[in-house]
Amino acid sequence: MTDDTTGAPREPGSQWYDHEAGPLVRPYAVTGGRTAPGPSGVRFDLIALVSLDPAAPAGDDPALGPEHRALIDLCRPETQSVAELAACADLPVGVVRVLLGDLLERGRVTVSRPVPPAQLPDERVLREVIAGLRAL
């Protein structure tokens, strides 16, 4: 396949991107107009870690779009944060959150949410532990 303007070979997938205009498929089209991730209403923090579910069904799901597959491919080699997935897929974070909600509901990915600040140890306790270790 060649570029119509220059005659140079076109990279696969580049028919959806115009370097001057940006993506030819707008974010609302990618998510089907949805802004919330699935009926479960799960929220994905930017630092939440996403990995492929080892129990995920084998084979290709025809209900998944190319963006879903791109996220799966990005998670295949290693666990990624939501922010990393958005950057690597060149998609807005809001779109990635919606797509991850789809993948989570289909059992394709698992998400490790960050520990809420209220559940983190108190700084005073950590300082006491450090002081105790130094005293040893």
Side-chain angles (χ1 to χ4, degrees):
M1 186 179 284
T2 61
D3 188 326
D4 296 336
T5 58
T6 64
R10 187 185 305 169
E11 293 179 30
S14 66
Q15 71 268 18
W16 302 112
Y17 190 83
D18 180 346
H19 290 288
E20 292 179 19
L24 300 179
V25 177
R26 299 295 179 221
Y28 64 84
V30 172
T31 63
R34 296 173 295 141
T35 57
S40 62
V42 176
R43 282 215 16 100
F44 295 99
D45 292 320
L46 288 175
I47 58 173
L49 298 176
V50 181
S51 58
L52 289 182
D53 190 338
D60 197 20
D61 186 348
L64 297 179
E67 293 81 11
H68 291 101
R69 290 185 189 93
L71 293 177
I72 289 172
D73 289 341
L74 288 170
C75 290
R76 199 172 305 282
E78 63 184 350
T79 300
Q80 302 270 344
S81 72
V82 173
E84 289 171 323
L85 287 172
C88 291
D90 198 26
L91 290 170
V93 173
V95 170
V96 170
R97 286 177 171 155
V98 172
L99 297 176
L100 286 175
D102 296 344
L103 293 173
L104 185 64
E105 288 180 2
R106 285 186 166 75
R108 296 298 191 133
V109 296
T110 59
V111 179
S112 303
R113 290 170 181 80
V115 177
Q119 294 180 358
L120 292 174
D122 184 24
E123 183 180 344
R124 182 184 54 79
V125 172
L126 292 175
R127 290 189 186 278
E128 289 176 12
V129 168
I130 291 170
L133 289 173
R134 286 186 180 149
L136 293 177

